[in-house]
Amino acid sequence: MFPHRHLLGIEGLKAPEITTILDLSEAYVAQNRKTNKHLDVLTGLTQINMFFENSTRTQASFELAGKRLGADVMSMAMQASSIKKGETLIDTALTLNAMHPDILVVRHPNAGAVNLLASKVNCSVLNAGDGRHEHPTQALLDALTIRRRKGRLHRLTVAICGDIAHSRVARSNILLLGQMENRIRLIAPPTLLPSGIDQFGVEITDNMEEGLKGADVVMMLRLQKERMDGAFIPSEREYFHRFGLDEAKLAHAKEDAIVMHPGPMNRGVEIDGTLADDINRSVIQEQVEMGVAVRMAAMDLLARNLKAWRMRDAEVMV
Ligand code: NCD
């Protein structure tokens, strides 16, 4: 059903495995709405969160997810340390590994850093975002939100708009939505498109009206200024005028199209603030709610495998 040791990306996940995570997440959505949210699924297990990049939603939801499932959760303040990639990262991994964690949740500014770390430890590793590479739990929580709102996760037209070049959210979403056979439209100025993106089976345009036409889902992305090493847009004002989502531009999408954003938002840059708060169109808060449930489901599935593998290894040793 979900034969994986780690969750490092959407790449490598098959459609039924994605469905397995989403189905289990539904049970956790219901559980999270109860007054007593506590379960014993991860009791006795140690979860360490290592965020080498800033995070609000992702870190908080991983921490809550672990606590609600009964794990011992520790969040390390990595930003404060002077740690860099390469040897130092591996040293940190080995140090933590010696403390016998069961689950490591890692966010890192370098693409590939989380995969490297996973190869050095003997616990389950979840990628909470690595550079421009992948952010699998974000794509899964987006998928759950879409599936609940649209009643299905296939044959939808999904427009992904904005800074695609610097976005791991876009990359993971393109992989997931493509795997589930949806039509994906990327809307961005050419400067904000990664090279080689045309090989991903997507339609590409720099015209919002054209790209939003008939869309069921409109996913807006933050301008990732921290990853830009030059001028990618003329000005924020000009960018909002051409690519910022407001009611007038949204009118080109389907009448019941939903508006999504992974957060944090730059209001008035990629999205109009009033539209972002419009509960008839925007599902941004629902995405946050789904985030906790999806992370509970992912850690639950990985922990089941971890326990089974350790038991099997122990038998082989005897
Ligand atoms: C995203 C990220 O960190 O990749 N945020 C998130 O996890 N909710 C998107 C972003 O930072 O713009």
Side-chain angles (χ1 to χ4, degrees):
M1 288 278 268
F2 193 78
H4 299 279
R5 186 167 198 118
H6 308 294
L7 179 60
L8 300 174
I10 297 298
E11 194 172 7
L13 290 190
K14 298 187 175 75
E17 295 167 2
I18 292 167
T19 304
T20 297
I21 302 182
L22 300 185
D23 289 348
L24 182 58
S25 302
E26 288 287 359
Y28 286 124
V29 173
Q31 175 68 18
N32 286 335
R33 290 180 180 179
K34 291 184 185 164
T35 305
N36 182 354
K37 300 167 180 64
H38 214 257
L39 290 171
D40 287 334
V41 172
L42 300 182
T43 299
L45 300 186
T46 300
Q47 172 191 337
I48 302 181
N49 300 332
M50 299 163 68
F51 280 65
F52 296 89
E53 252 189 14
N54 294 339
S55 172
T56 307
R57 276 149 285 268
T58 308
Q59 183 165 355
S61 60
F62 264 115
E63 191 164 334
L64 272 183
K67 286 182 172 162
R68 287 181 183 172
L69 293 178
D72 294 315
V73 185
M74 185 176 81
S75 290
M76 297 182 55
M78 306 309 300
Q79 300 97 320
S81 81
S82 60
I83 200 152
K84 295 208 180 86
K85 59 183 173 178
E87 275 189 352
T88 328
L89 177 70
I90 294 167
D91 275 347
T92 312
L94 294 178
T95 303
L96 287 172
N97 196 45
M99 298 181 195
H100 297 290
D102 304 289
I103 296 172
L104 283 181
V105 179
V106 188
R107 169 171 284 192
H108 198 279
N110 294 119
V114 183
N115 293 53
L116 176 68
L117 191 143
S119 70
K120 305 286 174 195
V121 296
N122 42 28
C123 61
S124 290
V125 177
L126 290 102
N127 182 1
D130 63 324
R132 306 175 191 188
H133 180 223
E134 281 235 40
H135 192 353
T137 55
Q138 179 69 44
L140 287 162
L141 75 88
D142 290 339
L144 184 62
T145 309
I146 295 171
R147 196 175 78 165
R148 287 168 64 95
R149 281 294 179 134
K150 293 287 154 200
R152 65 181 200 274
L153 191 57
H154 59 276
R155 297 206 185 159
L156 293 166
T157 299
V158 183
I160 305 178
C161 322
D163 185 357
I164 294 160
H166 301 102
S167 178
R168 54 199 175 206
V169 175
R171 215 183 117 81
S172 291
N173 263 303
I174 291 167
L175 292 168
L176 191 155
L177 293 166
Q179 181 73 273
M180 305 312 268
E181 294 176 8
N182 294 284
R183 185 168 175 181
I184 305 169
R185 296 225 191 100
L186 306 183
I187 316 173
T191 47
L192 292 179
L193 280 172
S195 58
I197 192 69
D198 42 324
Q199 284 147 33
F200 279 73
V202 292
E203 297 163 30
I204 300 169
T205 175
D206 64 356
N207 181 299
M208 283 290 266
E209 181 176 340
E210 191 186 312
L212 293 178
K213 200 170 255 162
D216 298 285
V217 176
V218 183
M219 197 179 279
M220 301 308 298
L221 298 171
R222 183 176 66 91
L223 270 186
Q224 308 232 341
K225 290 178 227 158
E226 76 277 20
R227 297 191 210 285
M228 295 181 187
D229 49 9
F232 284 77
I233 56 162
S235 73
E236 287 186 353
R237 220 180 125 90
E238 167 82 15
Y239 183 81
F240 182 71
H241 179 68
R242 283 201 60 197
F243 297 99
L245 188 69
D246 56 13
E247 266 199 62
K249 293 195 192 83
L250 184 62
H252 298 295
K254 278 200 185 144
E255 215 178 317
D256 62 351
I258 53 169
V259 174
M260 306 180 76
H261 193 303
M265 281 184 275
N266 292 311
R267 288 169 184 262
V269 180
E270 70 263 358
I271 189 164
D272 171 65
T274 313
L275 179 59
D277 297 332
D278 180 354
I279 54 165
N280 295 314
R281 306 312 299 267
S282 161
V283 296
I284 295 170
Q285 296 308 323
E286 199 169 315
Q287 288 175 267
V288 178
E289 182 186 2
M290 295 307 119
V292 182
V294 155
R295 286 162 182 135
M296 288 166 87
M299 290 197 290
D300 177 351
L301 290 167
L302 291 176
R304 290 184 207 182
N305 295 341
L306 192 68
K307 285 176 192 164
W309 277 317
R310 283 186 181 161
M311 206 133 59
R312 199 194 50 202
D313 289 350
E315 278 165 20
V316 172
M317 303 267 279
V318 172

